[in-house]
């Protein structure tokens, strides 16, 4: 009897371990190099995401209301041009060479910034007096002119935004989709997302270490040196996977069967094929909705951060970097927690998993904006409860909402979005990722920026003064975020119908003799997110 109980306990432990880490021992040689690549990719991407905000927001004359101008008038047009270059490079070279070219270009820029642009920024930037004079001439363009005053920092901001888009969303996930089978993706993708979030937790310690040993400008040099080193490690790992892993028959047998080489599509043909795909349109809608929603949310939150860390007109770079490192740690921690919740709930359908993020983002955004719109009243209540530092509470409360939104995005949105690409044809998959993740994601953030610019100009024309804080815009943000959450949820439902149909078609192609049984016909056939 005791042996039977022990055997059942052992079986239960093995079952839970298999759910927590559903990778077979024979797959370690393929999984761990891929895990190492996404670790370094997210490590470098997140370090740049934090440092670009610190660099730009700590610059003289720049506020959170300058960020929408950077996203729409700078990042968005450059991302379109870069996407065209990417499609051209992809048509001229195979994927492996394309990866080397794109990543090497980014690494070269950060080396140039460290060696030339940042050391000489005092000579390259216009004087503060010149910028202030231009701002008085054109009050509606007050926030955009501030970017011109620190144009090398704005260039750094653009490159950092593109690095995240192309190193992770386009290059890594296209590589993963091409080398990981549909069956493997159900087990691999959630764990790859989890590994990426271990990178976030590790990064928080690296940022703390850098902030403790490097002060002021030296901190930026140190951060860029780490980014350049990470990029070189990514190149080495990518080459190892292509030369030593994918050439191994053991792992190639588990990958997708090699497809016949097709004629390369022109940019016009790629755009035409994309415009005719309703499936890709739904993917684009959920990406756009997330980009606009999180952009509005983060703009308000980052304004609170700058306000808290600015004393007598001087922004504390090290203080902001230290706060962002803690934010990064908790984002990684809660993403891993949510990922394991999803893995344990292995019967969760694609539709259910994909619906969690719009609910989380919309809910957190609306709650935080409600707090900000009623801060003066609520802060009195907080003071009565013993919360003296209302400024820190505001940035911590906003951070909690952003962390939960992004954790649900990394744990649920990213893997389900990538799974949605798998049933597509190779040409539509490549062009679709370049268009949706390369331009669509950027259009989402830039669209949020454009909405803010329009609202700023409207308020400026009515009041005659430039908008220097987000407070007058908050009621409009509230309505936009609520509307986007509804559109996003609807698009997820429509995409799930298309996805289930395509997955069923793939299953029938693999086994043409298989017919749907009467018992299962008409039921929800959504592929589970995990195995």
């Amino acid at each position: 009897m005791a042996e039977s109980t022990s055997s059942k306990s052992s079986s239960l432990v093995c079952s839970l371990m298999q759910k927590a880490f559903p990778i077979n021992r024979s797959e370690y040689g393929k999984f761990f190099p891929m895990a190492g690549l996404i670790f370094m990719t997210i490590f470098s991407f997140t370090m740049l995401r934090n440092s670009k905000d610190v660099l730009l927001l700590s610059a003289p004359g720049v506020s959170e209301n300058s960020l929408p101008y950077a996203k729409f008038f700078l990042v968005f047009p450059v991302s379109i041009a870069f996407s065209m270059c990417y499609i051209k490079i992809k048509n001229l070279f195979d994927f492996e060479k394309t990866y080397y070219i794109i990543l090497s270009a980014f690494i070269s820029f950060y080396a140039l910034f460290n060696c030339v642009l940042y050391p000489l920024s005092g000579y390259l930037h216009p004087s503060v007096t010149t910028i202030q004079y231009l701002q008085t001439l054109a009050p509606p363009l007050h926030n955009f002119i501030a970017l011109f005053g620190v144009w090398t920092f704005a260039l750094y901001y653009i490159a950092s935004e593109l690095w995240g888009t192309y190193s992770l969303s386009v290059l890594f996930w296209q590589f993963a989709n091409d080398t990981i089978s549909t069956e493997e993706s159900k087990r691999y993708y959630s764990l790859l997302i989890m590994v990426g979030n271990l990178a976030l937790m590790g990064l928080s310690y690296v940022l703390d270490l850098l902030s403790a040993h490097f002060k002021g400008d030296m901190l930026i040099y140190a951060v860029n040196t780490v980014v350049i080193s990470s990029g070189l490690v990514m190149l080495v790992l990518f080459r190892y996977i292509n030369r030593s892993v994918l050439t191994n028959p053991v792992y190639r047998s588990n990958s997708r069967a090699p497809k016949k080489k097709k004629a390369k599509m022109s940019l016009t043909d790629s755009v035409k094929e994309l415009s005719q795909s309703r499936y890709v349109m739904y993917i684009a809608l959920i990406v756009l909705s997330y980009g606009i929603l999180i952009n509005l949310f983060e703009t308000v939150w980052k304004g609170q951060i700058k306000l808290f860390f600015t004393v007598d007109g001087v922004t504390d770079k090290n203080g902001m970097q230290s706060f962002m490192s803690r934010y990064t740690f908790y984002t990684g921690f809660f993403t891993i927690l949510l990922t394991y919740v999803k893995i344990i709930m292995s019967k969760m359908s694609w539709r259910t998993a994909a619906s969690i993020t719009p609910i989380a983002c919309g809910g957190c955004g609306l709650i935080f904006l409600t707090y900000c719109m009623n801060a003066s009243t609520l802060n009195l209540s907080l003071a009565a409860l013993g919360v003296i530092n209302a400024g820190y509470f505001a940035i911590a409360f906003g951070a909690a909402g952003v962390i939960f939104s992004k954790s649900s995005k990394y744990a649920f949105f990213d893997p389900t979005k990538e799974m949605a690409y798998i049933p597509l044809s190779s040409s539509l998959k490549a062009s679709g990722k370049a268009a949706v993740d390369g331009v669509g994601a950027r259009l989402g953030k830039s669209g949020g920026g454009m909405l803010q610019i329009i609202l700023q100009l409207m308020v400026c024309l009515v009041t005659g003064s430039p908008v220097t804080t987000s407070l007058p815009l908050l009621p409009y943000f509230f309505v936009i975020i609520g509307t986007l959450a509804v559109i996003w949820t609807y698009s997820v439902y429509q995409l799930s119908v298309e996805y289930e149909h395509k997955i069923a078609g793939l299953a029938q192609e693999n086994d043409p003799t298989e017919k749907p049984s009467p018992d299962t016909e008409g039921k929800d056939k959504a592929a589970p997110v995990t195995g």
Side-chain angles (χ1 to χ4, degrees):
M1 185 71 176
E3 289 182 4
S4 175
T5 304
S6 176
S7 175
K8 287 181 179 179
S9 299
S10 177
S11 176
L12 179 61
V13 170
C14 289
S15 176
L16 289 174
M17 289 181 64
Q18 179 62 24
K19 284 186 176 182
F21 188 73
I23 307 298
N24 301 324
R25 203 175 280 272
S26 60
E27 298 174 314
Y28 286 0
K30 180 178 182 180
F31 174 79
F32 283 112
M34 292 292 292
L37 184 58
I38 194 173
F39 183 96
M40 297 308 302
T41 301
I42 292 183
F43 180 90
S44 59
F45 152 57
T46 310
M47 177 166 277
L48 285 171
R49 184 177 63 190
N50 290 346
S51 62
K52 70 178 173 61
D53 288 331
V54 171
L55 181 64
L56 202 57
L57 287 173
S58 62
V62 178
S63 70
E64 75 272 17
N65 287 316
S66 297
L67 299 182
Y69 288 88
K71 291 179 185 295
F72 186 79
F73 288 111
L74 301 180
V75 177
F76 181 52
V78 173
S79 68
I80 293 177
F82 200 90
S83 182
M84 292 179 178
C85 291
Y86 171 78
I87 292 175
K88 185 68 175 177
I89 293 170
K90 180 177 64 70
N91 286 337
L92 291 174
F93 304 99
D94 60 26
F95 180 78
E96 184 177 354
K97 289 180 181 177
T98 299
Y99 187 96
Y100 296 141
I101 292 169
I102 298 297
L103 209 64
S104 297
F106 282 116
I107 292 171
S108 300
F109 170 80
Y110 290 107
L112 177 67
F113 188 86
N114 247 20
C115 297
V116 179
L117 297 180
Y118 196 56
L120 299 178
S121 60
Y123 300 99
L124 296 173
H125 294 166
S127 68
V128 175
T129 306
T130 301
I131 296 302
Q132 290 175 345
Y133 174 70
L134 292 174
Q135 288 174 327
T136 59
L137 292 179
L141 298 178
H142 180 277
N143 295 307
F144 183 69
I145 294 171
L147 293 175
F148 172 68
V150 288
W151 67 268
T152 63
F153 298 173
L155 196 60
Y156 183 92
Y157 189 93
I158 295 169
S160 300
E161 288 277 342
L162 292 179
W163 172 290
T165 299
Y166 280 88
S167 68
L168 180 64
S169 299
V170 176
L171 293 174
F172 175 81
W173 283 114
Q174 183 177 334
F175 183 52
N177 289 339
D178 286 342
T179 56
I180 296 174
S181 68
T182 303
E183 188 278 328
E184 288 173 334
S185 71
K186 299 173 187 178
R187 296 178 291 111
Y188 279 36
Y189 279 7
S190 292
L191 288 174
L192 289 176
I193 294 295
M194 186 203 70
V195 169
N197 285 282
L198 286 175
L200 297 187
M201 298 176 70
L203 174 62
S204 69
Y205 291 105
V206 173
L207 288 175
D208 282 340
L209 186 66
L210 294 178
S211 295
H213 289 82
F214 300 96
K215 302 299 179 183
D217 292 342
M218 293 306 298
L219 179 62
I220 301 299
Y221 290 117
V223 165
N224 286 334
T225 301
V226 174
V227 169
I228 292 167
S229 302
S230 301
L232 294 174
V233 172
M234 289 162 61
L235 290 175
V236 171
L237 278 171
F238 183 75
R239 183 170 180 81
Y240 170 78
I241 294 170
N242 279 279
R243 292 292 180 266
S244 301
V245 176
L246 299 181
T247 55
N248 188 329
V250 174
Y251 303 123
R252 288 185 64 184
S253 62
N254 293 329
S255 302
R256 292 179 177 79
K259 300 177 178 64
K260 294 179 180 179
K261 190 173 182 180
K262 296 184 178 180
K264 293 177 179 177
M265 299 177 68
S266 67
L267 177 60
T268 305
D269 292 335
S270 297
V271 171
K272 183 179 179 181
E273 185 175 11
L274 287 172
S275 65
Q276 296 173 346
S277 174
R278 187 171 61 176
Y279 189 91
V280 174
M281 181 195 71
Y282 287 131
I283 299 177
L285 272 176
I286 64 176
V287 170
L288 281 169
S289 298
Y290 171 77
I292 296 174
L293 197 157
I294 201 67
N295 177 256
L296 298 178
F297 190 172
E298 283 193 307
T299 296
V300 180
W301 175 56
K302 288 173 182 176
Q304 297 288 332
I305 295 174
K306 179 178 174 63
L307 181 66
F308 181 78
F309 286 103
T310 300
V311 180
D312 296 329
V314 178
T315 304
D316 179 10
K317 288 190 181 77
N318 287 77
M320 286 183 68
Q321 195 72 271
S322 179
F323 177 82
M324 295 304 290
S325 74
R326 291 194 294 276
Y327 152 74
T328 299
F329 175 85
Y330 286 112
T331 301
F333 174 80
F334 282 103
T335 302
I336 292 171
L337 183 64
L338 289 178
T339 299
Y340 269 113
V341 167
K342 184 181 65 178
I343 290 174
I344 292 170
M345 297 171 64
S346 57
K347 293 184 180 180
M348 184 185 295
S349 69
W350 187 96
R351 182 184 301 169
T352 301
S355 298
I356 290 174
T357 310
I359 296 171
C361 286
C364 290
L366 293 177
I367 291 170
F368 181 63
L369 290 182
T370 301
Y371 165 77
C372 291
M373 287 187 290
N374 300 278
S376 58
T377 303
L378 292 173
N379 286 343
L380 292 175
S381 302
L382 292 172
L385 294 172
V387 181
I388 305 299
N389 196 333
Y392 189 81
F393 178 83
I395 63 174
F397 185 63
V402 175
I403 286 169
F404 187 62
S405 297
K406 292 204 168 184
S407 296
S408 66
K409 188 256 187 184
Y410 298 143
F412 297 99
F413 178 87
D414 284 343
T416 51
K417 175 174 70 72
E418 295 307 325
M419 288 176 69
Y421 284 112
I422 291 176
L424 299 177
S425 65
S426 58
S427 62
L428 187 56
K429 186 187 305 176
S431 299
K433 281 196 71 63
V436 174
D437 293 337
V439 177
R442 196 53 44 210
L443 179 60
K445 292 185 178 181
S446 302
M450 188 60 203
L451 287 172
Q452 293 176 65
I453 291 169
I454 292 172
L455 293 173
Q456 286 180 36
L457 293 175
M458 287 171 56
V459 172
C460 181
L461 290 173
V462 172
T463 63
S465 302
V467 178
T468 55
T469 69
S470 300
L471 188 60
L473 310 178
L474 296 185
Y476 305 102
F477 287 3
F478 189 92
V479 174
I480 293 170
I481 286 177
T483 304
L484 284 172
V486 173
I487 293 173
W488 186 353
T489 305
Y490 173 77
S491 298
V492 165
Y493 175 79
Q494 293 296 328
L495 180 60
S496 70
V497 175
E498 298 269 347
Y499 174 75
E500 292 160 18
H501 177 72
K502 288 183 179 293
I503 289 295
L506 283 178
Q508 202 164 18
E509 284 179 14
N510 294 335
D511 186 5
T513 61
E514 184 180 351
K515 296 181 180 179
S517 65
D519 294 335
T520 60
E521 195 169 7
K523 293 184 180 180
D524 183 12
K525 304 185 187 74
V529 173
T530 55

